[in-house]
Amino acid sequence: MFLLFLLCAPFCLMAQSSAYKIYSTESKQEISPKDLVAAVAETDVLVFGEEHDDSIAHQLQTEIYTMLLNKYNTVTLSMEMFETDGQLILDEYLEGYITESKMTNDTRAWGNYPTDYRPMVELAKKKKQTVIAANAPRRYVNMVSRLGLASLGNLPKESQKYIAPLPIDTKDEGYYERFKEIMGGHMSSIGMNIYHAQCVWDATMAHRIFQHWKKHKKERIFHLNGRFHSDYQQGTITQLQRLNKKIRIKNISCFAVPNLEQIDWEDYVDLGSFLIVSEEVSNVP
């Protein structure tokens, strides 16, 4: 969620093979979306790490989710884009009790929801699939940024049910180093608070996924988050593995590169189980 997300028009080249490439870091081969879906047959949780303003990523998410449903019938959609305190509202919409406008308003849906995430939620609604509102409420994440991680312990018990159980585990050296790099190498007390706020996001998303997996172990879960949360199988994935090492997890890292035809996959293989790259689109006439 550190990247700004914009309202994007659909990318018209989606149907062309030149619009993106998918690479399996396990097979060391370029693959198709169909191949990717087949490769996760023994996976409990498939995490799609996106850049929030990437229109190709969003269209591929919808395509992959559709293919997963066609192959496995039941696939739970888990989304960073909805916060845990909006779960009841989201459920009410999926069951047909409330209107879409009420749902998006009351769940504080992201600005790019109509173009980028709505197709998946509508598909889930049509197919009667569960959608998990996975993310920690922004007000609590903001509180940690301002007052520190310990402040969560002062929340009423009713409020604490919307975040991962305390204490939040923040020990992930590789993840911390990546975060520190984003912060320019300067980690003051304020910087540490922001890092801990990031950990609250990760731990809460992992907890929500784990809660569902624990009750529905035969179901597959397709989780969407910003790719910083899951690249290198850190962040949310680390938090999920801490909850149960038996959960079978694969991740996708999706991003743009300057030249799609000159990509060296070896530069990116540590990012995830699958890599999806598209070519950067210049806004310069």
Side-chain angles (χ1 to χ4, degrees):
M1 291 182 69
F2 284 94
L3 300 174
L4 294 176
F5 43 87
L6 306 174
L7 187 62
C8 302
F11 194 80
C12 61
L13 297 180
M14 184 62 202
Q16 301 182 17
S17 60
S18 60
Y20 63 88
K21 290 184 177 182
I22 306 177
Y23 184 79
S24 166
T25 60
E26 181 178 344
S27 69
K28 307 294 183 186
Q29 294 179 341
E30 289 186 28
I31 62 173
S32 68
K34 183 178 179 180
D35 295 330
L36 190 155
V37 169
V40 298
E42 301 301 320
T43 301
D44 297 312
V45 182
L46 176 61
V47 180
F48 193 118
E50 65 171 45
E51 292 179 344
H52 297 316
D53 60 351
D54 185 348
S55 57
I56 287 182
H58 299 309
Q59 293 186 52
L60 270 171
Q61 287 167 344
T62 302
E63 182 177 349
I64 291 169
Y65 181 48
T66 301
M67 294 173 72
L68 286 168
L69 280 172
N70 288 341
K71 188 173 181 65
Y72 303 115
N73 296 319
T74 301
V75 180
T76 293
L77 182 62
S78 173
M79 303 179 72
E80 173 192 9
M81 300 78 200
F82 287 106
E83 297 169 19
T84 56
D85 61 351
Q87 185 69 65
L88 176 61
I89 301 164
L90 182 57
D91 290 344
E92 289 172 344
Y93 173 67
L94 294 171
E95 292 294 331
Y97 298 124
I98 64 174
T99 64
E100 183 178 27
S101 62
K102 289 297 183 183
M103 183 275 288
T104 55
N105 181 69
D106 292 355
T107 60
R108 307 179 298 278
W110 289 12
N112 60 337
Y113 174 81
T115 55
D116 296 336
Y117 305 112
R118 182 180 186 272
M120 285 175 283
V121 173
E122 290 302 302
L123 180 58
K125 183 180 181 184
K126 178 181 178 181
K127 298 289 187 178
K128 300 188 182 302
Q129 302 294 305
T130 299
V131 181
I132 299 173
N135 210 3
R138 277 168 270 188
R139 60 187 180 273
Y140 303 141
V141 176
N142 176 264
M143 186 176 74
V144 173
S145 298
R146 292 183 296 108
L147 304 175
L149 191 61
S151 64
L152 293 176
N154 298 324
L155 285 171
K157 294 298 182 183
E158 186 69 15
S159 302
Q160 290 185 26
K161 72 180 185 181
Y162 293 117
I163 57 176
L166 302 179
I168 303 293
D169 194 335
T170 63
K171 297 179 180 66
D172 188 340
E173 185 174 345
Y175 193 57
Y176 172 73
E177 290 300 321
R178 285 174 54 213
F179 188 88
K180 187 166 67 173
E181 185 177 347
I182 282 183
M183 297 292 289
H186 304 292
M187 291 295 287
S188 62
S189 59
I190 294 176
M192 286 303 297
N193 283 355
I194 297 173
Y195 170 66
H196 289 158
Q198 176 83 359
C199 293
V200 173
W201 274 325
D202 292 320
T204 300
M205 288 191 285
H207 176 65
R208 295 284 289 161
I209 294 168
F210 173 69
Q211 282 184 312
H212 187 83
W213 174 83
K214 189 168 56 172
K215 295 178 181 178
H216 308 278
K217 291 184 180 178
K218 293 184 178 180
E219 292 183 12
R220 287 166 179 82
I221 300 172
F222 186 42
H223 175 69
L224 314 181
N225 58 216
R227 72 184 187 96
F228 189 90
H229 289 287
S230 52
D231 274 358
Y232 302 97
Q233 298 197 339
Q234 296 172 343
T236 301
I237 295 178
T238 297
Q239 297 280 1
L240 186 52
Q241 289 173 329
R242 285 171 177 161
L243 293 171
N244 192 311
K245 295 185 182 300
K246 292 183 179 180
I247 302 178
R248 300 168 298 178
I249 309 166
K250 290 189 177 182
N251 73 305
I252 299 167
S253 182
C254 185
F255 53 96
V257 295
N259 190 324
L260 191 58
E261 299 308 316
Q262 295 181 4
I263 183 170
D264 184 348
W265 295 112
E266 290 302 315
D267 292 340
Y268 306 104
V269 291
D270 293 335
L271 290 174
S273 312
F274 306 97
L275 309 173
I276 300 179
V277 296
S278 59
E279 192 158 327
E280 292 175 355
V281 179
S282 173
N283 293 323
V284 178

